[in-house]
Amino acid sequence: KPKDDTQRQHCLRELRVFLRAVLRELRVDRTLGPLWRPVDPEDMPEVLEICDEPADLSKARARVDAGHYATLGQFLDDVAKVRKNASLLRDALPGDARSDDVAHAAHAAEDLVRSMAHAFRKKLGWDLVAACDRLHARDIRRDRRAAAAAA
């Protein structure tokens, strides 16, 4: 349906605009600098053993630009993955100041993202996040029906 597609494209565009604003805010915070690049396995070989799926904020930014995120929840999952990996690294290297700093920064980044999402919902006056969630769920149902009909 053309109207549904237009609405979907609008929601996804607005979501990308919001996510880019969030990432811009995270980028200017110097304490979050280490979260913007992958951990170099040469500097910290333990990272390959500890983190089964490395993640950093530059990867999230690339996914925003590629239109990967259909919901805020998907973006939050990637930010949580950055935090989880940083926490795993800190736990594996007790007393290591650098891993402590990175874990602290990752927790702060996740809190900031969630806080910005809450403020955005209030400022916008309508719940873009819920609209994107509904459209994504509808797309999933449509794809399942199409797959079942083809089988």
Side-chain angles (χ1 to χ4, degrees), residues 131-143:
C132 287
D133 288 347
R134 281 191 305 274
L135 290 168
H136 183 64
R138 186 170 51 199
D139 289 347
I140 290 171
R141 287 190 305 272
R142 182 196 63 226
D143 293 347

Side-chain angles (χ1 to χ4, degrees), residues 57-109:
L57 294 177
S58 68
K59 188 181 284 189
R61 181 174 55 191
R63 294 179 107 180
V64 168
D65 290 340
H68 173 80
Y69 300 115
T71 67
L72 175 63
Q74 292 169 334
F75 178 77
L76 291 173
D77 288 347
D78 279 356
V79 173
K81 195 179 305 172
V82 172
R83 187 230 350 110
K84 177 184 169 219
N85 287 348
S87 294
L88 289 170
L89 198 57
R90 178 182 57 196
D91 293 347
L93 302 169
D96 180 71
R98 195 168 93 189
S99 65
D100 284 346
D101 290 345
V102 171
H104 177 75
H107 281 85

Side-chain angles (χ1 to χ4, degrees), residues 18 22 26 75-76 79 108-118:
F18 168 69
V22 168
L26 296 178
F75 178 77
L76 291 173
V79 173
E110 185 176 27
D111 286 344
L112 183 58
V113 169
R114 290 184 182 281
S115 179
M116 289 179 74
H118 176 73

